[in-house]
Amino acid sequence: MSPTSLPAHARRGSRAGVRSHQAILVREQDSQHSGSGCCGRLGESHTELGKAADFSHSRARMEQMGEIYRALIDAAPDLDLVVADPRNIVWLYPAIWRAARNNGLGVGATLRSMGRAGAPVAVVVDGETLFSGRLPESETVVKAVLDRVALRFDA
């Protein structure tokens, strides 16, 4: 299958001969309930085993990352946009290392960026972690990503 026959969303940010910028939206990809099995779910409030965490904090972070993702798709269609779980260390840390080093970050700055990217939520642009832990308003995050990408285009 040739790249031109792929759907538009699969080709975003990867045009031939054009080096795109990468934004990694780090967020946990947990279920919205605790364990489940053939007999039902554990942790629902109406069960004797219930009263467990309802994961509302994870849901709120997922919804905010969704807002950021949609806004970035609209505002920067050539941006290589990736959503990754912070526990996916086999992919996440090497990806940040490569992007940071390819974009001129020193070893110390790269290691700091990698450390900050392992939070339950983080935003990484071209290997540099812009936000880690708690995110500001979605509009602030989107503006920071777009500003960082514009800076790199001008460089």
Side-chain angles (χ1 to χ4, degrees):
M1 180 178 274
S2 75
T4 55
S5 64
L6 293 174
H9 68 275
R11 289 182 288 138
R12 284 184 342 91
S14 59
R15 293 184 316 201
V18 176
R19 184 167 163 228
S20 67
H21 298 276
Q22 182 185 62
I24 302 172
L25 304 179
V26 179
R27 70 157 175 89
E28 292 177 328
Q29 297 181 11
D30 286 331
S31 302
Q32 299 308 300
H33 50 76
S34 63
S36 65
C38 63
C39 298
R41 296 182 179 138
L42 299 177
E44 292 184 17
S45 61
H46 66 278
T47 67
E48 289 300 316
L49 297 172
K51 313 289 190 271
D54 65 359
F55 298 96
S56 60
H57 61 287
S58 292
R59 187 70 198 158
R61 290 189 289 233
M62 288 178 177
E63 288 174 359
Q64 184 180 17
M65 280 297 195
E67 289 175 20
I68 293 166
Y69 182 87
R70 288 185 300 275
L72 288 172
I73 284 176
D74 291 341
D78 288 336
L79 183 65
D80 180 15
L81 193 54
V82 179
V83 178
D85 191 295
R87 295 165 295 196
N88 186 356
I89 61 174
V90 172
W91 181 87
L92 182 62
Y93 293 128
I96 293 170
W97 176 269
R98 280 189 305 274
R101 299 299 287 149
N102 287 340
N103 285 287
L105 264 66
V107 172
T110 299
L111 292 173
R112 283 188 296 278
S113 184
M114 289 169 64
R116 292 182 64 222
V121 289
V123 177
V124 183
V125 176
D126 291 337
E128 188 172 353
T129 303
L130 302 182
F131 300 99
S132 176
R134 296 181 60 105
L135 297 179
E137 294 293 319
S138 297
E139 297 82 24
T140 303
V141 175
V142 170
K143 183 180 180 333
V145 170
L146 295 176
D147 288 349
R148 183 60 48 108
V149 170
L151 266 175
R152 300 236 190 255
F153 274 128
D154 293 338

